[in-house]
Amino acid sequence: MLRRYAVAVVTGLFLASNAFAGATDDVKKTVDEVVHVVSDKNLKKHDQQRRQALKKTISVIFDYSEMAKRSLGKHWSQRSQAERRQFTDLFASLLENSYAGKIESYNNEKIMYLKETVDGDHAEVRSKVITPKRDEYSLDYRLLKENGKWMVYDVVIEGVSLVSNYRTQFNKIITTNGYNELVKKLKTKTDELKAP
């Protein structure tokens, strides 16, 4: 399921076939940069540099702090400022390394933007991903406007929210084994994903 999430997010960041104003414009800027990084022949020869460039590009559109807060749910308010920073850093690293790895296996999926809805500082961009085999699935971005820029705080694939999925997993770990166990698991997973 994580692979499908990653491929969908990556695909959504790759090709914009129809652009809307506002939130979609900010996504498209990132899409263009990701395409540039993936297409760069020099970076293809240098895996570390390519991975760093992809992670940097991805971080431009994802609001890791908001995603971390929403993923931790009710447990966020119980954390100290230092714990929140640590958790946000671990969560960002998990997402960056997960998705950078999937972007590198991009396979010409296409995205069709269907609708953009804006309600104040919140927006949702609804889209459809079409694979080379003509399979289709929905991919929706939820965004917040921060300092005049739209930032993704959740991705919904086939009706399943990435943030909600993580929140369920994190809540189970915290409830069963405590917050420190969650941090330990995130550190371990992040180290595994960083390894070549």
Side-chain angles (χ1 to χ4, degrees):
M1 188 68 163
L2 180 58
R3 173 152 170 76
R4 187 169 188 168
Y5 274 113
V7 168
V9 170
V10 167
T11 302
L13 291 175
F14 266 109
L15 297 174
S17 57
N18 297 316
F20 292 112
T24 305
D25 284 346
D26 284 343
V27 172
K28 185 167 180 1
K29 289 176 191 172
T30 304
V31 168
D32 292 344
E33 182 60 28
V34 168
V35 169
H36 173 74
V37 170
V38 171
S39 302
D40 188 318
K41 291 180 181 174
N42 290 327
L43 287 177
K44 285 182 181 181
K45 300 173 188 172
H46 305 284
D47 291 341
Q48 287 276 3
Q49 288 176 318
R50 181 179 177 177
R51 176 66 61 99
Q52 286 304 323
L54 286 171
K55 286 167 42 173
K56 182 179 177 184
T57 302
I58 294 165
S59 70
V60 169
I61 195 75
F62 283 102
D63 182 346
Y64 293 125
S65 181
E66 187 67 25
M67 292 175 94
K69 177 182 175 182
R70 289 172 183 256
S71 293
L72 207 51
K74 65 183 180 182
H75 303 286
W76 182 261
S77 63
Q78 301 164 9
R79 307 280 58 94
S80 69
Q81 287 294 0
E83 287 174 322
R84 288 177 182 179
R85 276 191 303 276
Q86 178 191 37
F87 180 79
T88 298
D89 290 345
L90 285 169
F91 188 74
S93 185
L94 173 70
L95 289 178
E96 285 175 343
N97 286 296
S98 297
Y99 295 125
K102 301 306 179 201
I103 287 171
E104 292 165 340
S105 63
Y106 171 69
N107 191 26
N108 294 321
E109 290 86 1
K110 297 187 191 276
I111 188 162
M112 232 171 102
Y113 288 98
L114 306 173
K115 183 178 180 184
E116 179 179 300
T117 307
V118 177
D119 183 11
D121 287 344
H122 288 78
E124 182 173 51
V125 176
R126 296 181 152 247
S127 66
K128 175 171 63 171
V129 176
I130 304 167
T131 69
K133 294 181 179 180
R134 299 275 187 218
D135 293 328
E136 297 181 3
Y137 52 94
S138 65
L139 169 64
D140 304 330
Y141 296 97
R142 293 180 178 160
L143 304 99
L144 282 172
K145 195 167 201 174
E146 297 176 5
N147 302 317
K149 181 175 169 49
W150 290 105
M151 300 292 290
V152 175
Y153 72 87
D154 196 9
V155 178
V156 181
I157 302 162
E158 288 293 308
V160 179
S161 159
L162 177 72
V163 166
S164 180
N165 191 27
Y166 275 121
R167 185 171 45 242
T168 299
Q169 292 176 49
F170 294 166
N171 184 56
K172 184 177 180 181
I173 294 168
I174 292 170
T175 303
T176 306
N177 300 309
Y179 176 75
N180 289 334
E181 182 63 23
L182 173 61
V183 169
K184 182 179 170 185
K185 286 181 182 282
L186 285 175
K187 285 180 179 178
T188 301
K189 185 65 175 174
T190 298
D191 289 343
E192 288 172 9
L193 290 169
K194 282 182 182 177

